[in-house]
Amino acid sequence: MFPLQRGRRLRVNESIRSLVRETTLSPSDFMFPMFIAEGENVQVEIPSMPGIFRRSIDLTVKEVQELFDLGIRAVNIYVKVDENLKDNAGTEAWNPNGLMQNAIRAIKAACPEMIVMPDVALDPYSIYGHDGIIANGDVENDSTNDALVKMAVSHAQAGADFVAPSDMMDGRVLRLRQGLDAAGFRNVGIMSYSAKYASAFYGPFRDALDSAPKEADVVVPKDKKTYQMDYANRLEAIKEALWDVEEGADMVMVKPGIAYLDIVREVKNAVHVPVTVYHVSGEYAMIKAASERGWLDHDQTMMEQLMCIKRAGASLISTYFAKEAAILLNKK
């Protein structure tokens, strides 16, 4: 008689395990972050992110077509801006012929069904490496929002499907929604970085874009903690996500991923829009480094982490592993 319930009956073999599996992954669950550089036929590997490259637009387009053929349906794009184009106001960010705008047009022309979500923040364009305009020793919230609206509208004009504000300014989702609507882009969505924490896991990403805060001849914050969230906080993430939904966000994001799965679940339970999770550069780099040393099995660890992010409540996972994971899933 003992025990009547045996959990192991549902684990006898892979066929049974697959029948009762609660969470599944497919290539359409992934978004691939891409770094774009000036020039032609340019492909430069990022040292702290093995297998990830800054590519010129021509090679980016080829990569996008490969991703689409694998079943990936979304890319999140970032640009590496030349130093001579940077200023405090980030004016290059809304140049209609800027690198980002040209990249959006090229991707949509070559692969119209790929969903393109360009990053909206001023740090790649800022001489100070901050996500907004520096005034009186801090990042000025409202003038930054005005700049972000210009940036987002220029992305929409170039053909973006969604804009992805990663800046963490207060009220920016409402301003972006109002600005996009006023410009006639009511169908361009907003994927808001709602719970973006001030995390040490972003280090390799900042190498990719040279977007870390810089020393300057004026007073500037030494880090991004006045606008990105304190990683000790949980309720704040729910509050931020709810605010963004009220302001018009179509999707919300939690960033980083694996170290923040409690936040993913809390946000998923609180909102009624899709939740995106950014499996960030540091999380990617740790798996690469450990597997290179033989300490972890690369593919098994990669897939376990992605499955755990999905299990926690992610509708979409932005991950540098998107291509590698899609190739593995397509082999099954």
Side-chain angles (χ1 to χ4, degrees), residues 85-326:
L85 296 176
K86 296 182 180 183
D87 58 26
N88 184 31
T91 51
E92 179 63 16
W94 54 90
N95 177 359
N97 295 310
L99 180 59
M100 177 68 87
Q101 290 76 6
N102 287 336
I104 296 168
R105 280 189 286 268
I107 293 170
K108 294 301 290 186
C111 192
E113 294 181 67
M114 180 64 86
I115 303 302
V116 178
M117 301 191 187
D119 179 59
V120 175
L122 295 186
D123 49 333
Y125 304 90
S126 168
I127 54 174
Y128 304 123
H130 275 284
D131 289 44
I133 297 168
I134 298 296
N136 300 316
D138 198 4
V139 175
E140 212 288 315
N141 194 91
D142 295 0
S143 62
T144 295
N145 282 341
D146 293 339
L148 297 177
V149 170
K150 296 176 187 176
M151 186 179 186
V153 169
S154 76
H155 293 174
Q157 290 169 337
D161 300 283
F162 282 74
V163 294
S166 64
D167 56 286
M168 289 298 287
M169 296 299 110
D170 292 333
R172 91 277 209 206
V173 173
L174 178 60
R175 291 288 176 259
L176 290 174
R177 186 71 270 158
Q178 291 171 332
L180 289 166
D181 288 356
F185 295 108
R186 293 177 179 84
N187 289 330
V188 172
I190 298 174
M191 182 192 70
S192 175
Y193 289 58
S194 298
K196 180 180 180 181
Y197 286 85
S199 172
F201 287 106
Y202 303 152
F205 177 96
R206 290 174 180 166
D207 286 346
L209 294 184
D210 188 27
S211 60
K214 300 174 176 63
E215 292 185 4
D217 54 1
V218 299
V219 177
V220 298
K222 64 178 182 179
D223 53 38
K224 300 190 177 187
K225 293 180 180 179
T226 66
Y227 44 102
Q228 294 178 359
M229 287 175 47
D230 183 344
Y231 57 71
N233 293 351
R234 178 181 62 86
L235 294 177
E236 185 181 10
I238 302 170
K239 177 180 69 176
E240 291 280 355
L242 289 171
W243 280 349
D244 284 358
V245 173
E246 289 173 2
E247 291 181 9
D250 301 283
M251 302 183 194
V252 296
M253 177 184 277
V254 176
K255 180 182 181 182
I258 285 296
Y260 294 79
L261 295 187
D262 60 321
I263 306 301
V264 176
R265 175 46 56 184
E266 293 270 16
V267 170
K268 179 70 172 180
N269 290 343
V271 302
H272 299 289
V273 299
V275 176
T276 303
V277 175
Y278 203 141
H279 192 215
V280 300
S281 58
E283 295 169 316
Y284 172 88
M286 288 193 298
I287 292 177
K288 289 293 183 182
S291 64
E292 285 174 3
R293 288 160 177 77
W295 296 342
L296 292 174
D297 181 288
H298 177 278
D299 291 352
Q300 289 186 21
T301 307
M302 169 182 73
M303 298 307 291
E304 181 178 343
Q305 287 205 357
L306 294 172
M307 185 70 79
C308 291
I309 293 171
K310 180 82 180 291
R311 187 195 65 214
S315 301
L316 181 64
I317 305 170
S318 184
T319 176
Y320 302 97
F321 286 118
K323 187 175 183 180
E324 292 174 275

Side-chain angles (χ1 to χ4, degrees), residues 35-106:
F35 302 116
I36 302 171
E38 294 281 5
E40 291 185 11
N41 200 34
V42 174
Q43 179 167 289
V44 179
E45 188 172 33
I46 299 161
S48 54
M49 300 174 70
I52 301 298
F53 299 85
R54 286 193 296 266
R55 293 184 174 93
S56 51
I57 290 175
D58 54 332
L59 298 186
T60 297
V61 166
K62 291 181 180 178
E63 181 76 355
V64 166
Q65 291 171 321
E66 290 182 26
L67 296 170
F68 193 84
D69 290 342
L70 289 169
I72 295 167
R73 294 293 178 262
V75 292
N76 186 204
I77 58 176
Y78 304 83
V79 293
K80 176 72 167 65
V81 180
D82 288 344
E83 288 297 321
N84 61 0
L85 296 176
K86 296 182 180 183
D87 58 26
N88 184 31
T91 51
E92 179 63 16
W94 54 90
N95 177 359
N97 295 310
L99 180 59
M100 177 68 87
Q101 290 76 6
N102 287 336
I104 296 168
R105 280 189 286 268

